[in-house]
Amino acid sequence: MKKLFITAEFMLGLCLPNVIQAAEVTITTTLHSYQGDGAYLAIYLTDANGKYNKTLWVAGGKAKYYKHLQDWARGSGLKSTEYDGSTGASVTSGEQLTFKVNIEDALIDAGYLIRVDSAVEDQRDQRVDAELPLTRRGAGTSVAGRGYVKTISYTL
Amino acid sequence: MLRRFHSLAGLTAALFLLITATTGALLALDPALQRANALVPARGAVSVADVAEKVLLAYPGTEQIERLPSGAVVVYFTQDGQTAADLINPLTGTRLATYQQSAVFAWLKDLHRAFLWDDKGRAGAGIVALLLSVLCVSGVFLLASRAGGWRQLFAPMRSASNGAISPRLHAELARAAALGLLLSALTGSVMSALRFELLPEAAELEADFPQKVAGTAAAPVGTLPALQQTDLVDLHQLIFPSRTDPQDLYALSTHQGSGYVDQATGQWLSYADYGNAAQLQTFIMELHTGETYWWLGLLFGLAALTVPALVITGFQIWWQRRRAMPHLQGNSAVGQADTIMLVGSESNSTWGFANALCEALKHAGCLVHLAPMDQLANHYVKAERLLILTSTYGDGDAPASASQFLQKLQKLPPTLSLPFAVLAFGDRQFCSFCAFADHVTEALQQRQWPQLLATDYVDRQSAATFEHWGVALGNVLGRPLMLHYTPVLPACHGLMLVERQNYGEAVQAPTCVLRFQSAPPGSTLPVFSAGDLVGILPPGNAAPRFYSLASASTDGVLEICVRQQDNGLCSGFLYNLKFGETAAGFIQKNARFKPAAGKSPILLIGAGTGIAPLVGFIRANTARRPIYLYWGGRLATSDFLYQNELNSYLADQRLSQLHVAFSRGAEPAYVQDKLLQDADQIRTLINGNAQIMLCGGRRMATDVATSLNTILAPIALDVATLKKSGRYLEDTY
Ligand SMILES: Cc1cc2nc3c(=O)[nH]c(=O)nc-3n(C[C@H](O)[C@H](O)[C@H](O)COP(=O)(O)OP(=O)(O)OC[C@H]3O[C@@H](n4cnc5c(N)ncnc54)[C@H](O)[C@@H]3O)c2cc1C
Ligand SMILES: Cc1cc2nc3c(=O)[nH]c(=O)nc-3n(C[C@H](O)[C@H](O)[C@H](O)COP(=O)(O)O)c2cc1C
């Protein structure tokens, strides 16, 4: 199985004033083996009410298909400033996507959720394919997805 | 030019076209199958609210309802933490089947649009679609040029004069499928161009996400006005709000636009039409896939099915043409040449002469462009003279490489004028000696092109006549020409006599039916069938004599019927041939003299040895199509050729009627007298699309044609008209 390692520290790191403490989070998403082209994924943070907070990663090269990542599209307003610098290739059936991202300490153990929306060409769009709370205790536990996502987990 | 381009494009894409078209044809079944399995209520019968209400009862975890282009309705739902999808009955909301895209169709689709090779394959498929569009357009222009103008595009087509079936098949299929193929190919090209952003894609205009919602308790979905007002037929997708979020909304999209509906009030909070550009794109896509128009999809699929046949026949045509055009070395380009040489040939012997002349002209300092007559161009920039060398086939017909020449000549710009000379190749054994070359000469004279020297006639490839003409041409050009022509003899086979029947001695018409086998034993002859010719070389003479074949190679013997002529060299040789002796001969295909395919009746007319190919056609008539034979001899008791065999064919219905006339019988009559007696029947047959095939001596042929004209006058037809449509074939000598 091919692994994708992407480092995206700089984008969050650079924008934040030095005083703010941030943790490096590694997120690993594994897809089911399904029939079809590569999946588009949007991995983002929401608050406890499911309200969009920020984009962590978008997998998939063509912005014109992003609207199929429905909840994320709605939340982010599909503004490219929301995801610039944190995009990569779509993830094919059975593959694993791993990336690192810096998240402010204030968002950890504060009711925030990591959420995945997914879509595959000619197949159904999955809003909230997977969702898991961002907590120090939850680190290292895998959560099953409902659609194309088999499991998702993160380490702090 | 256009033809070269068409062949080149076709050859390049051939293999990919086969894949794309075959998979396309199979994929066309998908929408039709989906439609057949779907339950589709008529407009006005069911609203989106109706369906949503019933679905929610059956599927409490409903997230989304989608109406597929086929009309089937799918519900996406969550159950036990997993998402799933079912096809449902829109009237009851209950499950019909699990919704699953067929793995077979998914694979076919991937093969169709990407050759199973991701984005690179998709780009390839896009190029194939573009090539197919280009092939369709260039092909339609070629069709029009073949038919002799756009107005004749839909006129019935005739077979190629040399009997090759691929050109006609290619043209007929292409004409039937062109529109469907063009639409498929163009829409496919557009889809590919949009995907690769070569064409700007018009995004669907989207409704703004409403900032303010009622926020009060959600109303039952069946009561929401916006959903009640939307007919199921118009639905594309209804996405349910998240159960836990009172701020969430219904996202409803139809075929025209999309927007958001409040879950409490059921009112549209925002709505936007997709916009014309996006709608057009969707239309193009649906046209291509046949998803919405399944019947159109099936028609496109049918059209796609012709592609494999078009590829194969196209390849054959290209190959035949390539083979027919000998490899030319040192040929000057059209625009450079001062001397244009055009060649009309069918079995290629004229090319041998053309090459010899070409060499001599180049030696004398001319820049020669040598090409088949069908490649007559509209412009010759530097040309000073046009030399035409052509053979003749059938009744003054053009040979294969000149079949479109006269038509093309008609269309030349009036400003073009070239001094010309014609050299005719033919055989005095045939009725219309060099007649096609004469037609060509007349047509050029009518255009008032200056004639360099009078048309000369080369009988049976006489090298002497050719060289003589070369001298005359050299004189006119003011440059002596040295022609060196080495005659090429056809490759001969040994034919050993194994059977004979003699007739007619009592009436001074000694005639024999001869059957040969290939010699030495074990050697094989080329494939032939009744109506083809065998050329026999009499000992000590280089000029072959032709005899019509009464048998096919599958019969295991080569059978001819020979009338001994007074002092006839070849006929005398054959008449006196003994069992076990051999003659030297070659097979000459004669595709112009073959029954048309199909079940329509055939009227066979002949006299004397003319019976030979006719009896062969009857023998091969195992399909029992109606065949009527009118034949004339001298005396029933002496030269009734094939009498027993013909009676047995009457008995087993390979022959429907037999009418014989004998000039020295109790009631002397010729074959045309029998025809005149049966005039009513002949007219009925011709009205029933019958074909006439005539074989035998020249005198008989003219007499029969005159009588037939008398017979056909009341139904406003004549022999010339029938000939034009391929319904009157002659093999006379
Ligand atoms: C397409 C085609 C099909 C033919 N099929 C047959 C066939 O099935 N059976 C058959 O017997 N012949 C057929 N012939 C005729 C045949 O090819 C010869 O022309 C014929 O056998 C005479 O050749 P020869 O060598 O015997 O005569 P030659 O030595 O060439 O000529 C000798 C004498 O016979 C005369 N003569 C030649 N041909 C004819 C003729 N047709 N009618 C009257 N007088 C003639 C000449 O004027 C000359 O005086 C066919 C010819 C063609 C072009
Ligand atoms: C079936 C057949 C029909 C022919 N018909 C005629 C004809 O009507 N008039 C003629 O002058 N020559 C006719 N010929 C003779 C050819 O024109 C002659 O052999 C010529 O040299 C062939 O040239 P090509 O091999 O370049 O086609 C015929 C030959 C065959 C085999």
Side-chain angles (χ1 to χ4, degrees), chain B residues 304-525:
Chain B
L305 270 187
T306 63
V307 170
L310 287 173
V311 168
I312 293 167
T313 50
F315 187 81
Q316 281 172 342
I317 296 169
W318 170 80
W319 181 247
Q320 278 157 6
R321 187 172 299 125
R322 209 185 130 82
R323 230 188 20 188
M325 179 156 150
H327 193 66
L328 306 173
Q329 276 172 347
N331 204 14
S332 300
V334 194
Q336 299 298 318
D338 54 29
T339 306
I340 308 295
M341 266 177 70
L342 296 180
V343 179
S345 176
E346 181 148 326
S347 52
N348 285 348
S349 59
T350 307
W351 280 104
F353 291 91
N355 277 329
L357 177 60
C358 187
E359 283 310 313
L361 285 165
K362 281 197 272 185
H363 212 78
C366 295
L367 291 173
V368 188
H369 176 76
L370 182 56
M373 283 173 79
D374 277 349
Q375 285 182 18
L376 176 71
N378 276 334
H379 311 282
Y380 290 107
V381 189
K382 296 198 177 150
E384 292 165 20
R385 62 194 72 88
L386 170 67
L387 306 177
I388 291 180
L389 279 63
T390 183
S391 61
T392 292
Y393 278 77
D395 189 37
D397 280 354
S401 81
S403 53
Q404 297 176 13
F405 178 82
L406 289 174
Q407 254 177 42
K408 286 195 168 177
L409 189 67
Q410 295 297 317
K411 299 214 184 92
L412 285 190
T415 46
L416 181 66
S417 171
L418 281 173
F420 74 94
V422 177
L423 181 59
F425 291 79
D427 187 333
R428 284 196 196 277
Q429 299 181 75
F430 292 89
C431 299
S432 322
F433 178 58
C434 293
F436 179 67
D438 286 337
H439 295 327
V440 170
T441 310
E442 276 161 36
L444 292 170
Q445 284 168 344
Q446 257 175 24
R447 293 185 76 91
Q448 302 191 326
W449 290 14
Q451 192 167 356
L452 291 169
L453 79 166
T455 296
D456 207 348
Y457 304 91
V458 179
D459 183 24
R460 302 193 202 183
Q461 296 158 25
S462 152
T465 318
F466 175 60
E467 279 159 20
H468 183 258
W469 181 79
V471 173
L473 181 67
N475 288 340
V476 172
L477 300 182
R479 324 180 196 208
L481 295 180
M482 305 293 292
L483 294 181
H484 305 286
Y485 174 73
T486 11
V488 214
L489 279 181
C492 280
H493 300 268
L495 299 169
M496 185 175 77
L497 185 67
V498 293
E499 239 185 291
R500 80 153 57 232
Q501 271 132 25
N502 286 1
Y503 297 85
E505 305 225 25
V507 286
Q508 297 77 48
T511 307
C512 54
V513 172
L514 303 177
R515 297 197 177 87
F516 296 90
Q517 267 171 3
S518 178
S523 61
T524 51
L525 295 174

Side-chain angles (χ1 to χ4, degrees), chain B residues 274-293:
Chain B
Y274 296 131
N276 291 338
Q279 295 246 47
L280 180 67
Q281 278 165 20
T282 311
F283 175 72
I284 287 174
M285 206 188 79
E286 289 177 347
L287 204 60
H288 186 87
T289 57
E291 272 177 336
T292 316
Y293 316 96

